[in-house]
Amino acid sequence: SGSDPILNAASLAQLVKDGTVRYFLGGGNGGGGFGGQGNFNVNTWVAQNCTAVPADELGSASTGGQVYDCAGAK
C-alpha cells in the first residue's frame, strides 16, 4: 500500500544483492502491494528490476498474484 517506510531503492537493492531477498509476490488476492519510503514504490522497483515468473513455472502453486524473481536484479 506504500505505507510501510522501511524500504528505499538502495536498501531493497542491497537486500537483493546480498541474497537476503530473491522472490516477491505482488498483486492479486494472495499478495498485496509492497510498502515504500516517501515516493519510492517497491512494486515499481520490482517490476523494473526483476523478472516475472510465468505461472506455468510455479507448478501447482496458485499464488493469486504475480511472482517475481530478483536474482540478477540491477
Side-chain angles (χ1 to χ4, degrees):
S1 68
S3 63
D4 190 345
I6 64 168
L7 293 173
N8 60 39
S11 64
L12 180 57
Q14 190 64 50
L15 289 170
V16 170
K17 180 180 176 185
D18 292 345
T20 302
V21 176
R22 177 171 175 177
Y23 294 98
F24 286 89
L25 174 62
N29 297 330
F34 306 117
Q37 189 174 53
N39 290 329
F40 175 66
N41 184 294
V42 179
N43 285 317
T44 301
W45 188 93
V46 169
Q48 291 174 346
N49 294 280
C50 304
T51 303
V53 178
D56 61 341
E57 291 184 18
L58 297 174
S60 62
S62 176
T63 64
Q66 178 62 58
V67 175
Y68 292 88
D69 183 352
C70 294
K74 305 173 199 170

